[in-house]
Amino acid sequence: MKIYVYLDESGSIHKNSNTKFFAVGGYFIFKEDKNKATSLYKRINKEIKNTRNIRMDKEIKSYDMLDIEKIKIFNEVQDIETFYGIAKVFEKTLMKKEIVHSNIFFNYAVKVLFSDCIVPLLNLVQINESIEFIVSIDNRNIRVGEINNLETYLKTEFCLERFDFKITYYDSKTNFGIQLADLVVNTFYNYYKDKRIVKKVIKSLKHKNFRVSSFPGHKIKGRIKKIEYNI
């Protein structure tokens, strides 16, 4: 079984950054619906650019979008049967130690995201086969010499499970899945930063399609029920 995961980050994990929060997240989706999500986002993205007279080769980041545009995307994408938005939000001021190496912490953040927001939703008793996670991540903060570290790290951390991981890094300018992931994670990052920023957008989200966890701790907002499969 293949599950596709698209990830991005919001905030900063660099030790010299004074941002209070850092978030990693995006969405996961099953093979049969993978192209539906990216095609839908691509279509709406094109409509936004046409309406606002933006060049087609220019990437629209989530912070450039109007609330009405974000709501339109969420209203359509959350109707896709196997679409699940996810985010792990870290409150840096509550950590006992400073973040020394941002890439190492990013790997840890992705592992915790899987542990708290993805794996708990999978009905592993119902799945009688191994799961391959095909993970796409924005490459802007990854050093060339470290691109294979996350894949090895996740395989080691989940060595007791029938999981495999394939990590690929992309330029978000050419990957609509990662652009959609940016919208999801930035929405929840702003929710923790200042709810007023995304008040209208959050109200449009369906509880069953999203799961968010805070750190430290494992407090969950959103979906708790495991996903039922049509096997």
Side-chain angles (χ1 to χ4, degrees):
M1 170 183 255
K2 292 185 178 181
I3 297 177
Y4 291 81
V5 185
Y6 295 85
L7 299 180
D8 202 353
E9 60 188 75
S10 285
S12 175
I13 52 180
H14 194 276
K15 65 180 180 179
N16 295 326
S17 169
N18 59 3
T19 56
K20 184 178 180 180
F21 295 99
F22 167 73
V24 61
Y27 70 96
F28 71 95
I29 195 165
F30 291 83
K31 184 177 180 180
E32 60 267 28
D33 291 326
K34 177 177 75 75
N35 292 335
K36 291 181 184 178
T38 51
S39 295
L40 185 154
Y41 181 84
K42 182 179 180 180
R43 173 177 59 79
I44 300 177
N45 184 275
K46 183 178 180 180
E47 291 174 2
I48 293 171
K49 289 176 179 177
N50 282 332
T51 300
R52 292 211 259 149
N53 197 27
I54 299 173
R55 296 195 331 266
M56 286 297 164
D57 61 347
K58 178 178 174 58
E59 178 182 3
I60 305 178
K61 304 296 290 185
S62 59
Y63 52 72
D64 293 322
M65 292 183 180
L66 306 175
D67 282 353
I68 191 172
E69 295 167 344
K70 296 178 181 180
I71 291 170
K72 178 177 176 59
I73 293 170
F74 279 127
N75 279 345
E76 294 200 35
V77 78
Q78 65 189 350
D79 283 338
I80 297 174
E81 186 174 357
T82 66
F83 171 89
Y84 300 96
I86 50 174
K88 186 74 180 182
V89 183
F90 297 79
E91 188 167 353
K92 294 160 57 179
T93 55
L94 297 180
M95 296 182 191
K96 303 299 183 183
K97 297 179 181 179
E98 69 176 14
I99 298 168
V100 177
H101 197 301
S102 58
N103 277 82
I104 291 175
F105 186 83
F106 179 79
N107 289 353
Y108 173 75
V110 172
K111 188 270 288 190
V112 177
L113 176 73
F114 269 87
S115 296
D116 290 352
C117 295
I118 299 179
V119 175
L121 294 183
L122 303 178
N123 194 336
L124 299 179
V125 175
Q126 191 181 19
I127 301 173
N128 297 315
E129 57 182 307
S130 61
I131 299 175
E132 182 180 12
F133 292 102
I134 312 297
V135 186
S136 300
I137 304 180
D138 189 0
N139 65 5
R140 68 179 181 271
N141 290 322
I142 303 298
R143 297 172 186 160
V144 174
E146 298 172 331
I147 60 175
N148 294 322
N149 287 356
L150 177 58
E151 186 172 299
T152 302
Y153 177 69
L154 292 176
K155 288 179 179 180
T156 303
E157 286 292 321
F158 292 99
C159 64
L160 296 180
E161 303 291 347
R162 293 186 300 169
F163 298 162
D164 194 16
F165 296 87
K166 181 179 180 182
I167 312 294
T168 307
Y169 297 93
Y170 294 95
D171 185 340
S172 61
K173 291 181 180 179
T174 58
N175 190 294
F176 290 104
I178 293 176
Q179 290 180 34
L180 178 54
D182 167 61
L183 173 59
V184 175
V185 70
N186 187 255
T187 296
F188 290 112
Y189 169 79
N190 282 324
Y191 176 80
Y192 280 81
K193 179 182 176 182
D194 184 350
K195 296 179 181 179
R196 294 170 296 180
I197 300 174
V198 290
K199 181 179 179 180
K200 294 179 181 179
V201 179
I202 289 292
K203 285 183 177 180
S204 71
L205 305 184
K206 293 181 179 179
H207 182 277
K208 69 180 181 67
N209 289 95
F210 297 89
R211 183 179 173 99
V212 183
S213 175
S214 57
F215 182 97
H218 305 277
K219 187 176 181 180
I220 300 295
K221 295 180 183 293
R223 187 182 180 112
I224 297 176
K225 184 180 179 181
K226 291 185 180 296
I227 300 166
E228 296 294 328
Y229 304 99
N230 296 318
I231 298 179

